[in-house]
Amino acid sequence: MVRLLLLVRTPVNLPHTMLSALYKEHQVKQQNRRETQERRKKELIQSATTLTQALIESLNSGVAQAYLNQKKLDSEAKQLQINVTQFSKQTGQWIQLADTFNQALKEIGDVENWARSIELDMRTIASALEYACKE
């Protein structure tokens, strides 16, 4: 009977050792899976971050270019407004100069007419004096 007990104990110890070894092997596999999952998770996060940054940089470069273009357009529009204002003032001055010139021409025309009128009057007077002297 002692022997029987010994046989019963030996098989029980053997499965316990095997169970313990299986459990440890399972824990090691679980730890390896966790590490693999964690590594893959980090790689995924890094890839997603890289992709997000690339997309944002691409989008930002387009937005930055649009902003620079808008800034240039605003600057050119301001310069154009300044040029239009200057041109308007200059055009007003030219119109005023042309009006002054026209007025001067009218006055010259009036002086010319006045001179002709005086010349005609002087000829009339000269003719009258010649006629008076002959008689």
Side-chain angles (χ1 to χ4, degrees):
M1 202 155 276
V2 173
R3 202 172 187 191
L4 192 57
L5 281 175
L6 194 54
L7 287 176
V8 172
R9 281 189 177 203
T10 305
V12 171
N13 285 341
L14 184 62
H16 179 68
T17 307
M18 286 178 67
L19 185 61
S20 178
L22 284 174
Y23 179 71
K24 286 182 181 181
E25 183 181 333
H26 174 71
Q27 283 182 330
V28 168
K29 286 180 181 178
Q30 286 287 48
Q31 184 62 30
N32 287 340
R33 284 186 193 134
R34 282 188 204 116
E35 288 173 1
T36 302
Q37 274 186 322
E38 191 63 32
R39 182 178 41 81
R40 288 180 181 167
K41 181 180 174 183
K42 287 179 182 179
E43 289 172 359
L44 178 65
I45 290 172
Q46 181 62 35
S47 295
T49 302
T50 303
L51 175 64
T52 304
Q53 287 176 346
L55 290 173
I56 288 173
E57 287 175 11
S58 173
L59 184 63
N60 281 345
S61 68
V63 170
Q65 187 62 43
Y67 176 76
L68 290 176
N69 290 345
Q70 183 63 40
K71 196 173 177 181
K72 286 179 184 178
L73 285 174
D74 288 344
S75 174
E76 289 177 9
K78 286 179 184 178
Q79 186 61 41
L80 182 62
Q81 182 63 36
I82 291 169
N83 291 347
V84 166
T85 303
Q86 288 176 347
F87 181 71
S88 178
K89 287 178 183 178
Q90 191 176 25
T91 302
Q93 290 172 346
W94 288 345
I95 290 172
Q96 185 179 7
L97 184 64
D99 288 344
T100 304
F101 183 69
N102 281 340
Q103 186 63 32
L105 286 177
K106 285 180 185 178
E107 289 174 5
I108 289 173
D110 290 344
V111 168
E112 188 178 339
N113 286 337
W114 175 77
R116 282 187 198 146
S117 175
I118 289 182
E119 184 181 358
L120 186 60
D121 288 346
M122 292 304 253
R123 284 187 184 167
T124 305
I125 292 172
S127 294
L129 285 174
E130 279 181 29
Y131 182 71
C133 286
K134 284 185 183 177
E135 283 182 15

